[in-house]
Amino acid sequence: MDSPKPKEPAPPPGVWGPAVGLAWLFPGAGHFWLRRYGRAGWLAFAIVGMYLLGLMMRGPLFHPERGPDLLTTLIQYGGFIGHLCSGLLYLLTLWLGYAQPDAPGAVHDYGAKFLVTAGLLNILAMVDAYEIAAGRKS
Amino acid sequence: MPKVSLSHFEAALLFALFTSIVFGVVSKRTDRERVRYAAYCFAWFVAALFGLGWLMFLAHR
């Protein structure tokens, strides 16, 4: 039986910090910093495209607030965390005064999902940037 | 910001496309594997879309 592989030590934050920080700030920027230009372009296209479509569908934004029940509170906080992971896109959206009320309709609903999913996909991009910067992936 | 109004199908297809691209880019180690995995994910998204669509249609009959 093989002995368990020793755990690799985590690289210092100075190695991966800039790449992960840039990846959070703008989708694809971490890969661009790491000179993976093609992948950076595809990530930016997909994540920014999804976010912009969410705005064009007038998806409402989630806010960190308590709802009438636990499920609503979880959805609000979870959605807000998803938005935060979009980085500058979300901050610009707030600064430019986007305030879409939660309205009934499939398109608005899809818009909300697109806005949150863009942030969640950006988490994957940040993890990928970390792995590349740490030398665990090319 | 212009407003768009998409059908369920168009919105779900775009969702599948963008998500599959990111899955492909971050999951694999060579460009060939990335393209194949993105296409694989997209195909499954679309298959699930049609499958669930038919399921809902039949359940509401």
Side-chain angles (χ1 to χ4, degrees), chain A residues 65-77:
Chain A
E65 59 192 15
R66 281 179 172 272
D69 52 65
L70 179 65
L71 182 63
T72 311
T73 305
L74 279 176
I75 290 171
Q76 286 293 336
Y77 274 89

Side-chain angles (χ1 to χ4, degrees), chain A residues 35 42 120:
Chain A
R35 298 168 192 259
W42 281 109
L120 300 181

Side-chain angles (χ1 to χ4, degrees), chain A residues 14-25:
Chain A
V15 172
W16 52 266
V20 174
L22 283 169
W24 168 75
L25 198 62

Side-chain angles (χ1 to χ4, degrees), chain A residues 26-27 43-53 89 118:
Chain A
F26 192 83
L43 287 173
F45 166 74
I47 297 172
V48 176
M50 184 169 258
Y51 193 87
L52 291 181
L53 266 173
L89 292 172

Side-chain angles (χ1 to χ4, degrees), chain A residues 39 56 58 110 114 117 137, chain B residues 1-2 4 8 11 26 34:
Chain A
R39 276 182 264 172
M56 287 193 276
R58 300 292 188 264
Y110 267 110
F114 272 52
T117 308
K137 197 175 173 186
Chain B
M1 182 70 68
V4 295
H8 275 279
V26 303
R34 288 185 188 107

Side-chain angles (χ1 to χ4, degrees), chain B residues 1-53:
Chain B
M1 182 70 68
K3 188 175 181 180
V4 295
S5 189
L6 303 172
S7 67
H8 275 279
F9 184 65
E10 291 164 339
L13 269 190
L14 283 168
F15 185 94
L17 176 71
F18 291 136
T19 307
S20 301
I21 290 172
V22 176
F23 283 1
V25 168
V26 303
S27 299
K28 300 293 175 180
R29 292 180 182 271
T30 67
D31 285 346
R32 187 182 164 82
E33 284 176 340
R34 288 185 188 107
V35 171
R36 284 173 63 95
Y37 189 66
Y40 175 81
C41 288
F42 184 73
W44 271 109
F45 268 122
V46 175
L49 182 61
F50 276 99
L52 290 172

